[in-house]
Amino acid sequence: MNFLDMFAMRPGSFAKTYKCFPVSFMEGKDRPDVEHGGKIIMPPSALDALTQRNIQYPMLFKLTNKFATKSTHCGVLEFVADEGRIYMPYWMMRNLLVEEGGFIELESVSLPVAEYVKMQPQSVEFLDISNPKAVLERALRTFACLTIDDIISINYNDKKYEFNVLELRPAGAVSIIECDMNVDFAPPVGYVEPEYSKPAEAMEEDGVDYSSIKIPQTGFKAFGCEGNRLDGKAKKNTSAESSSPLSQHERGIPNYDYQRGKITFIRNGRSKQTESKGESEIFSAFQGEGQLLKKKRK
């Protein structure tokens, strides 16, 4: 291999200036895959030039607007654009502060693989999604790289959601193709933390001591209703306790000799009648008198 062949095989850089237009300017059907992603469409001549320079894959590019000193990074999706033009998502044109037909300088670059990204939703409506992290990770599959301070746009359920790239590691511009990165969220723009008041503070504000309020004793009372006779006659009041109100409730006597860690079983003492019974009343097995079904003949 001679010197010229070695020079031809050496990876080189690609730099060229193009007129940029939004994806909606392309002829044919709409391209939502381009509008809600991070890749552009370049002319076929760019593919020939990149192939001759042995550009490293994946192909990543830096887009710069010299008039506004703005720059971002992107990948390439197809090489079917008109010569001298590139088509890009509208959110990318907005970040570059360029209008339709404006000039953008394109340069091939090599970016490190992403390890960490922190984003801030631009609307609190993103919190209504049941699993926002999974939605964002799936949407980022249409992106090739990320640039810090960019505001990207994704589509979910026919609705646009925008995110501001706040932090990137290990660099300010990273590649997210076939990588394992951690995704973190900052509070959305306009989000306000809900205020929670403690119960003690609420009692102090009302000026009422709820601990001193007595709760009335209510509960089930068996056979507490009034019955009626079938013959229509007046019912005799056989029980004086039936007219007693439910509120009369006798509480038990507390154990004033209670000791912590000791369980005491309090049982009622034996009644006087039980103590006065003689030994004759004690039960004895098989002491009964037998009876015959037939009387004995005399």
Side-chain angles (χ1 to χ4, degrees):
M1 182 180 294
N2 56 23
F3 178 78
L4 295 177
D5 293 336
M6 293 177 60
F7 181 78
M9 294 297 294
R10 186 184 64 180
S13 61
F14 174 81
K16 194 170 182 180
T17 302
Y18 292 96
K19 286 185 177 181
C20 68
F21 294 90
V23 183
S24 57
F25 278 48
M26 289 186 63
E27 297 180 358
K29 60 180 181 179
D30 297 337
R31 298 292 302 272
D33 56 334
V34 183
E35 183 62 35
H36 302 290
K39 300 179 181 180
I40 64 174
I41 296 179
M42 300 175 63
S45 60
L47 178 60
D48 297 337
L50 290 168
T51 305
Q52 294 176 3
R53 288 172 173 80
N54 298 318
I55 299 297
Q56 296 180 356
Y57 290 88
M59 294 184 182
L60 303 177
F61 303 94
K62 180 180 180 181
L63 305 177
T64 305
N65 182 7
K66 292 186 176 181
F67 299 99
T69 63
K70 290 287 185 179
S71 63
T72 186
H73 297 79
C74 67
V76 58
L77 183 63
E78 296 176 356
F79 294 90
V80 295
D82 299 333
E83 292 298 332
R85 293 186 175 188
I86 56 174
Y87 297 97
M88 63 179 61
Y90 182 74
W91 65 264
M92 195 176 294
M93 296 183 60
R94 187 176 54 186
N95 289 334
L96 293 172
L97 301 178
V98 63
E99 297 180 354
E100 295 85 352
F103 289 95
I104 291 295
E105 182 177 339
L106 186 145
E107 180 184 1
S108 61
V109 293
S110 179
L111 300 177
V113 179
E115 299 177 357
Y116 172 82
V117 57
K118 184 176 183 180
M119 295 188 176
Q120 181 185 33
Q122 299 299 293
S123 174
V124 294
E125 296 178 355
F126 186 68
L127 299 177
D128 298 335
I129 301 176
S130 58
N131 194 349
K133 189 174 182 179
V135 171
L136 181 61
E137 289 179 353
R138 184 174 182 179
L140 289 179
R141 296 176 184 175
T142 58
F143 288 73
C145 50
L146 294 174
T147 308
I148 199 168
D149 294 334
D150 272 1
I151 298 179
I152 65 175
S153 175
I154 67 172
N155 185 26
Y156 178 71
N157 285 345
D158 298 330
K159 193 171 184 179
K160 294 181 180 179
Y161 296 94
E162 294 184 343
F163 299 87
N164 184 13
V165 183
L166 298 179
E167 185 178 353
L168 290 173
R169 297 175 189 170
V174 294
S175 171
I176 61 173
I177 299 176
E178 297 181 357
C179 70
D180 185 12
M181 66 177 180
N182 297 323
V183 180
D184 195 7
F185 292 101
V189 176
Y191 176 74
V192 179
E193 288 285 346
E195 297 180 358
Y196 300 98
S197 59
K198 297 181 180 179
E201 296 177 356
M203 292 175 58
E204 294 177 358
E205 293 177 359
D206 298 340
V208 180
D209 186 8
Y210 294 97
S211 62
S212 62
I213 299 177
K214 295 183 179 180
I215 301 175
Q217 297 179 358
T218 58
F220 172 74
K221 182 180 180 182
F223 308 106
C225 300
E226 295 181 359
N228 296 316
R229 295 181 53 149
L230 296 176
D231 54 4
K233 296 182 180 180
K235 183 177 70 69
K236 296 181 180 179
N237 188 9
T238 58
S239 176
E241 296 179 357
S242 60
S243 61
S244 60
L246 184 63
S247 59
Q248 295 180 0
H249 179 72
E250 295 182 0
R251 307 185 69 176
I253 300 175
N255 183 13
Y256 295 102
D257 298 331
Y258 170 75
Q259 296 180 4
R260 185 174 181 181
K262 182 179 180 182
I263 301 176
T264 304
F265 297 95
I266 302 176
R267 295 181 176 86
N268 297 329
R270 296 178 63 184
S271 60
K272 296 181 179 179
Q273 296 179 357
T274 306
E275 295 177 354
S276 62
K277 288 183 179 181
E279 297 180 357
S280 60
E281 297 182 4
I282 299 175
F283 171 77
S284 298
F286 306 106
Q287 298 296 325
E289 296 181 358
Q291 301 292 337
L292 297 176
L293 296 177
K294 295 181 179 180
K295 296 182 178 180
K296 295 181 180 181
R297 295 178 182 182
K298 296 181 180 179

